[in-house]
Amino acid sequence: MSAPAAPPAPAPPALARLSRIGFLTLPNYSAIALVNALEACRMANYVSLADDYHWAVVTLDGAPAEASNGLSMTPTVKLADAGPLDLLFVCGGVSVRHAVERPLSDALRRLARRGVALGGLCTGTFALAEAGLLDGYRAAIHWENLTAIREEFAGVAFTEELFVVDRDRLTCTGGVAPLELMLTLIEARHGKPVAAKVSDQFMVERPRAGGDRQPLPLPSRIEHLHPALARAARMMDAAIERPLTVAEVATGVGMSPRQLERLFRRHLGTSPAEFSLGRRLVHARELLRQTPMSVTDVGLACGFQTAAHFSTAYRRHFGRSPREERAST
């Protein structure tokens, strides 16, 4: 007997119709991400000489949330009193895990059932993932949280892109990227000339597209020292769970292991193996601070075969054990 057919995927919303937008602010949200998205709506109305976009800053209880910079947005209204919405963006920032509780997840699920498109700005994407509303979707989140969230939500295809529009989910990284996401919506509604006028008003010369990758920073001293050095570092970062040998990295960048050793020694004063270990330990610290993964699972996810090896290496590098790191968060 054949398996039952999978239910059809939800139809993508017509981006041009997304004009009533709510911005649900979580405690410690990123003010710059919110304002970049909201101001794009205001400017689109201004340059188009129309009153097409309507927005509201909301919280579950109507009390203004404090942003990570200590400021609050007024007026802030209760989500239930915001009126009909086409799109709701969850606006996150630092310590987002502590801001996502069951009432928020329940509210987001209710909106999804009603056909409201849902989005996340900066770390607001985490709230959608935690509510189970991104399973089977592609999604974007700020690079600082990308590694940890990939480990936690295997059913979501997290990308390194600036923003992702996948059917009825619109997720975005932080900083100025929300402005570029909104330009996509504005172009769909008003056409390229209006989107270009909005860009001009904000002095954005070349808006980036959603398919553009967000910059994933290596240590600043590496990026401009030598191209092969940067390529080698990226190869190591892409193989955290199963670390590559020096010979494998050397082959990948087109040089011999001895040449690679000399390159690292000359520019960084360390060996490729020592550099790779340091990157794995930095990755482990992010997982310890940002996920509920056990210390043992963090060690395995970072290429350490035994807990003892992980603990010894971590203490040598950071001056405290993985368990002490977890207890400090």
Side-chain angles (χ1 to χ4, degrees):
M1 183 176 178
S2 60
L15 295 185
R17 296 182 181 176
L18 301 180
S19 63
R20 298 171 299 179
I21 302 174
F23 296 95
L24 196 162
T25 50
L26 302 181
N28 291 308
Y29 69 91
S30 168
I32 190 173
L34 165 63
V35 172
N36 268 296
L38 190 154
E39 280 291 284
C41 298
R42 181 190 67 82
M43 189 58 70
N45 286 352
Y46 174 74
V47 302
S48 66
L49 303 177
D51 190 27
D52 285 346
Y53 285 106
H54 303 269
W55 57 87
V57 177
V58 305
T59 57
L60 291 185
D61 61 4
E66 186 174 287
S68 57
N69 62 9
L71 303 180
S72 300
M73 295 285 288
T74 56
T76 294
V77 302
K78 191 174 182 179
L79 175 61
D81 298 334
L85 297 173
D86 303 314
L87 168 63
L88 178 79
F89 280 117
V90 183
C91 305
V94 299
S95 303
V96 66
R97 180 179 302 279
H98 303 299
V100 178
E101 298 179 340
R102 183 170 179 176
L104 173 63
S105 295
D106 289 344
L108 294 175
R109 293 187 193 108
R110 286 194 296 271
L111 290 171
R113 288 193 294 269
R114 296 210 301 262
V116 176
L118 298 174
L121 302 183
C122 194
T123 63
T125 301
F126 173 85
L128 300 181
E130 180 72 6
L133 297 170
L134 288 179
D135 290 345
Y137 284 85
R138 295 173 65 252
I141 196 169
H142 190 276
W143 61 262
E144 194 171 30
N145 304 86
L146 186 59
T147 296
I149 203 169
R150 278 174 168 167
E151 294 285 350
E152 191 168 356
F153 298 102
V156 185
F158 286 100
T159 78
E160 298 175 0
E161 297 171 21
L162 287 169
F163 61 85
V164 174
V165 177
D166 184 358
R167 290 163 285 169
D168 53 352
R169 301 289 183 267
L170 295 82
T171 52
C172 187
T173 58
V176 299
L179 169 59
E180 292 161 318
L181 167 60
M182 295 307 298
L183 288 172
T184 299
L185 273 64
I186 293 166
E187 181 175 330
R189 187 174 183 86
H190 290 289
K192 288 186 177 180
V194 169
K197 288 181 180 179
V198 173
S199 297
D200 290 342
Q201 288 287 332
F202 291 128
M203 292 177 283
V204 177
E205 185 177 1
R206 288 182 295 275
R208 295 167 295 179
D212 289 357
R213 289 180 57 178
Q214 57 177 309
L216 305 179
L218 291 170
S220 59
R221 67 187 188 280
I222 295 176
E223 198 67 58
H224 305 294
L225 288 176
H226 195 286
L229 200 65
R231 291 201 303 274
R234 290 195 180 93
M235 285 183 63
M236 294 172 182
D237 283 355
I240 292 285
E241 188 170 349
R242 294 178 179 82
L244 301 173
T245 66
V246 173
E248 289 171 328
V249 176
T251 298
V253 299
M255 58 178 55
S256 71
R258 181 171 294 183
Q259 289 173 319
L260 187 66
E261 289 274 357
R262 285 201 300 265
L263 188 68
F264 270 80
R265 291 288 182 189
R266 182 186 315 125
H267 291 292
L268 300 178
T270 189
S271 70
E274 290 166 342
F275 177 85
S276 175
L277 176 61
R279 296 294 283 175
R280 288 159 55 204
L281 289 168
V282 168
H283 179 68
R285 184 173 60 178
E286 292 175 358
L287 296 181
L288 289 168
R289 290 177 172 180
Q290 298 180 19
T291 77
M293 294 171 64
S294 70
V295 170
T296 299
D297 286 344
V298 169
L300 291 173
C302 296
F304 295 93
Q305 297 306 307
T306 68
H309 182 204
F310 176 42
S311 182
T312 299
Y314 198 95
R315 182 182 292 278
R316 185 181 298 121
H317 193 81
F318 292 115
R320 57 181 171 182
S321 71
R323 296 190 185 281
E324 290 169 334
E325 185 73 68
R326 169 59 58 76
S328 71
T329 58

